[in-house]
Amino acid sequence: MSAPSKHLTIREATAADYAEIARITWAAYLGAGYFDSTEHPYMRQIADVGYRAARGTVLVAERDGLIVGSVTLMAHGDGFEQVAREGEFEFRLLVVDPAVQRSGAGSALVAEVEARAKRAGATAVVLTTGDRWEAPNALYPRLGYVRAPELDWPIPETDIMLPVYRKTL
């Protein structure tokens, strides 16, 4: 049996990809223990890839013809951003299939977000993550993102504050 290919392609998602992106999103969020069920209202919301694609750009990481990860990016004013300010890009819902996590797909997706932001003239890239989400909170500083606590924001009707990271381009 041959070793799996290391070649990774980043491309814009098509409608034909949406079901697989939703599956990977659910697998990543449930596998990390962020939620208990795909029936949680937020889990149903993030599985609506068409909604995201209509308000931003959904990218996929593909290896050997299989989608292994995804991220949604948008510029300030696109309508899906949460914390991006004028001149900034934001990304949300960075997910990698749990079967291939730590294979470079997440970092490659973030690099593509940054490249697109630079080409568009953005000054920074921002993102929100979960407070106790260990893997993301370890990944983003390694990629040059710094905490921006002045941008943290609450989940409505809770006392939970979501941490924001920012990287100047």
Side-chain angles (χ1 to χ4, degrees):
M1 188 161 115
S2 63
S5 168
K6 299 283 186 196
H7 182 70
L8 191 68
T9 301
I10 307 296
R11 63 173 175 78
E12 290 190 19
T14 67
D17 300 323
Y18 293 176
E20 183 63 5
I21 295 166
R23 185 200 65 77
I24 290 170
T25 302
W26 282 340
Y29 275 65
L30 293 173
Y34 301 154
F35 295 93
D36 294 331
S37 165
T38 59
E39 295 305 310
H40 186 281
Y42 184 68
M43 291 292 284
R44 287 197 310 260
Q45 177 186 351
I46 64 176
D48 188 348
V49 181
Y51 178 87
R52 291 192 252 156
R55 288 155 181 82
T57 301
V58 179
L59 301 175
V60 294
E62 193 174 60
R63 182 176 284 128
D64 297 329
L66 299 174
I67 295 172
V68 297
S70 178
V71 68
T72 302
L73 70 125
M74 67 289 306
H76 170 76
D78 280 352
F80 191 58
E81 82 281 1
Q82 295 169 312
V83 295
R85 297 175 292 191
E86 187 69 37
E88 295 179 339
F89 265 47
E90 177 174 345
F91 69 87
R92 296 178 60 190
L93 300 162
L94 173 66
V95 293
V96 175
D97 190 319
V100 298
Q101 286 179 350
R102 292 181 172 71
S103 67
S107 297
L109 285 161
V110 172
E112 180 63 18
V113 167
E114 293 170 4
R116 287 171 179 245
K118 285 179 187 176
R119 286 194 301 269
T123 59
V125 175
V126 294
L127 67 106
T128 300
T129 191
D131 186 39
R132 294 182 183 94
W133 296 4
E134 292 178 24
N137 283 297
L139 172 67
Y140 299 131
R142 274 198 326 269
L143 297 178
Y145 287 79
V146 296
R147 282 281 292 114
E150 70 281 5
L151 299 175
D152 291 358
W153 56 281
I155 295 176
E157 301 177 28
T158 74
D159 60 356
I160 299 170
M161 291 295 287
L162 294 173
V164 175
Y165 285 85
R166 184 173 191 275
K167 182 176 183 177
T168 302
L169 299 176

